[in-house]
Amino acid sequence: VLDGMYLGSSPGNFGQVSFYDAARGECYRDFGDPVGVASRVFIEGLYGIRPNAINDKLLIAPGFPQSWSFAELETPDVSFAYKQDGMTDHYTLVQRFANPLGLELRIPARMDGIEDVLVNGEMAEVVGLSAAVVGYPALSVFAPAAETYDIEIKWKGNPINTTVPSVQVTPQSGSAFELAFD
């Protein structure tokens, strides 16, 4: 991020050639390769939108910070909205692929119990995944192919401790590293 956003000849631009590539002198900094990489960070990483049209599946696995109570995204292929309202999470998904894909919504569990999971007003197929998201449980909601999904998850119980252990990386001789977990 520092290289692309601050150190190059065009700060704030997603450049193709690194500041550290002295031989090229950033002669292609306006080429679009890094824009695709940065886009995937937001679409696949933050919002977790991962279509797999060959297998007729759409996986949505958002990577939002725990403190976020809402998020929205509009792309030509998928619209996504998330809103937390007390003990209820609302997800609205609209897909505009040539053929609608079956859905798997995979989210971190924020409470230790579930009261109801509804997709388009009907009870949904739900699978709990233990330790699926870096050390804490996740929930997968499955639904058959549809253009629009209105998903409501009503939580109950106590909050799940989602503290991720800190990791210390200490360089050793050569290219080796020593990892220490708390």
Side-chain angles (χ1 to χ4, degrees), residues 6-65:
Y6 300 104
L7 299 176
S9 298
S10 181
N13 185 22
F14 286 108
Q16 175 191 16
V17 179
S18 171
F19 164 81
Y20 298 105
D21 187 356
R24 300 296 297 167
E26 288 198 307
C27 64
Y28 294 109
R29 75 173 166 271
D30 293 326
F31 193 77
D33 286 349
V35 173
V37 174
S39 298
R40 277 186 92 169
V41 167
F42 293 110
I43 300 297
E44 289 188 27
L46 186 60
Y47 284 90
I49 298 171
R50 300 179 194 142
N52 183 348
I54 291 173
N55 293 309
D56 295 322
K57 295 179 184 176
L58 173 61
L59 171 62
I60 307 284
F64 303 140

Side-chain angles (χ1 to χ4, degrees), residues 118-143:
L118 302 175
V119 176
N120 297 335
E122 297 187 18
M123 294 298 289
E125 177 187 352
V126 178
V127 174
L129 306 170
S130 63
V133 183
V134 189
Y136 54 94
L139 177 75
S140 279
V141 178
F142 295 91

Side-chain angles (χ1 to χ4, degrees), residues 50-92:
R50 300 179 194 142
N52 183 348
I54 291 173
N55 293 309
D56 295 322
K57 295 179 184 176
L58 173 61
L59 171 62
I60 307 284
F64 303 140
Q66 186 179 1
S67 61
W68 285 19
S69 60
F70 69 93
E72 290 186 23
L73 176 72
E74 181 84 26
T75 75
D77 297 319
V78 176
S79 297
F80 174 93
Y82 161 71
K83 186 171 190 318
Q84 195 179 100
D85 184 17
M87 296 286 279
T88 304
D89 293 349
H90 298 274
Y91 293 86
T92 303

